[in-house]
Amino acid sequence: MALLEMKNVSFYDGFTEVIQDTSLIIEKGSVTAFLGESGGGKSTVLKLLSGIVHPSSGKVFYNDKSFTRMSEKENLEFRKKSAFMFQNSALWANQSLYQNLELPLKIHFPTMPPELVKSKIEDVVKLVGFNKPLTLRPAALSAGEQKRIAFARALICDPEILFLDEPTESLNEKAAELFISILKDFCSRGNTLAYVSHDYTFINTFKNDKYYFANGTIVDKILLNDNLQNGYEDYGDYNEV
């Protein structure tokens, strides 16, 4: 049984068809990359699979149940087991870093003692290599520092599924290597990773299903056994399948 599945999904943003009649399956414990040029629909597919947005037509399933047919309890349980890291980090600007990090815990573990909340926040911040005061607000951080906090927030509830949109963008080499190390450990425990990236080092780290998108549709499913050395140019002339 597929963990996540899209069946004949299309998505319109206003009058623009961003995703066109797309079907795909993500198995539990797999690593799935969505590759392609900017504007090809990759980030939208990630949001559709995570239930952040719903399709204009077609259906998206989690464990064989459509997101649109889930009860509030079932949807909350999915949110507890999954996490989404946005390309722009999407931190709450009017909240401190600590408040940004504690919010998922307050939603999914409302009875967790404050001392345990504090301990979990301290542990995850240390894990991602962030060492500034958590009393700061996001505007006081660089883009790379915001990315660390966003990654920490995605990890805070120990999810089984991670959706990452350009996870290493704005990071220096050392920070990117740290993120990769954390994600290798995450995947080694049988968890599921789906991501969008233009970082070839990151892409080549995880050898699994790669979907190449262009103009809102899959133009190729790539099983990469060798490094993607030459960028996306190699896949620019495929016809739709």
Side-chain angles (χ1 to χ4, degrees):
M1 182 176 71
L3 179 68
L4 293 159
E5 184 174 6
M6 292 173 57
K7 287 187 178 180
N8 305 113
V9 167
S10 294
F11 179 80
Y12 287 85
D13 183 5
F15 295 103
T16 304
E17 189 176 28
V18 182
I19 299 298
Q20 303 172 17
D21 193 27
T22 294
S23 299
L24 60 88
I25 289 175
I26 292 181
E27 303 286 353
K28 179 178 171 59
S30 65
V31 179
T32 304
F34 298 107
L35 314 177
E37 302 297 339
S38 297
K42 309 179 301 299
S43 295
T44 301
V45 165
L46 210 62
K47 291 174 183 175
L48 286 161
L49 285 166
S50 65
I52 291 176
V53 299
H54 294 308
S56 303
S57 63
K59 292 184 178 181
V60 182
F61 299 86
Y62 168 64
N63 284 335
D64 272 351
K65 186 148 194 179
S66 169
F67 277 112
T68 56
R69 299 294 297 272
M70 283 183 182
S71 66
E72 185 176 345
K73 181 179 179 181
E74 289 171 328
N75 191 274
L76 190 62
E77 186 62 24
F78 172 75
R79 301 286 164 213
K80 183 178 179 180
K81 291 181 177 180
S82 64
F84 195 106
M85 180 178 165
F86 293 85
Q87 183 176 0
N88 66 352
S89 297
L91 301 176
W92 291 99
N94 63 343
Q95 303 287 310
S96 71
L97 304 181
Y98 190 94
Q99 290 170 318
N100 269 275
L101 291 168
E102 76 172 343
L103 182 60
L105 296 175
K106 291 174 81 171
I107 293 171
H108 298 300
F109 302 94
T111 62
M112 183 178 287
E115 60 272 18
L116 183 53
V117 170
K118 183 173 183 291
S119 175
K120 286 186 72 68
I121 289 174
E122 290 173 347
D123 287 347
V124 77
V125 165
K126 183 178 179 181
L127 178 67
V128 301
F130 185 84
N131 53 20
K132 286 189 174 181
L134 296 180
T135 52
L136 294 173
R137 292 196 177 186
L141 306 184
S142 68
E145 289 168 338
Q146 289 187 28
K147 189 76 82 169
R148 288 180 190 258
I149 293 296
F151 191 35
R153 185 177 60 183
L155 297 170
I156 193 81
C157 290
D158 299 315
E160 298 173 10
I161 310 168
L162 276 177
F163 301 98
L164 308 179
D165 195 350
E166 299 290 359
T168 56
E169 187 178 83
S170 304
L171 297 180
N172 60 33
E173 185 177 349
K174 183 177 180 181
E177 289 174 353
L178 175 61
F179 276 33
I180 287 172
S181 175
I182 293 169
L183 289 169
K184 280 183 176 179
D185 178 67
F186 174 82
C187 294
S188 74
R189 290 182 273 117
N191 294 314
T192 306
L193 174 62
Y195 70 88
V196 170
S197 181
H198 287 86
D199 180 345
Y200 303 141
T201 299
F202 187 91
I203 294 165
N204 290 328
T205 297
F206 304 99
K207 302 296 191 295
N208 212 301
D209 287 354
K210 271 84 172 169
Y211 291 93
Y212 180 77
F213 267 78
N215 299 319
T217 191
I218 298 170
V219 293
D220 197 25
K221 180 180 177 183
I222 311 159
L223 295 176
L224 290 180
N225 297 314
D226 300 311
N227 285 356
L228 184 63
Q229 297 286 5
N230 300 318
Y232 301 119
E233 299 92 320
D234 290 349
Y235 305 99
D237 296 325
Y238 279 81
N239 294 319
E240 294 183 12
V241 296

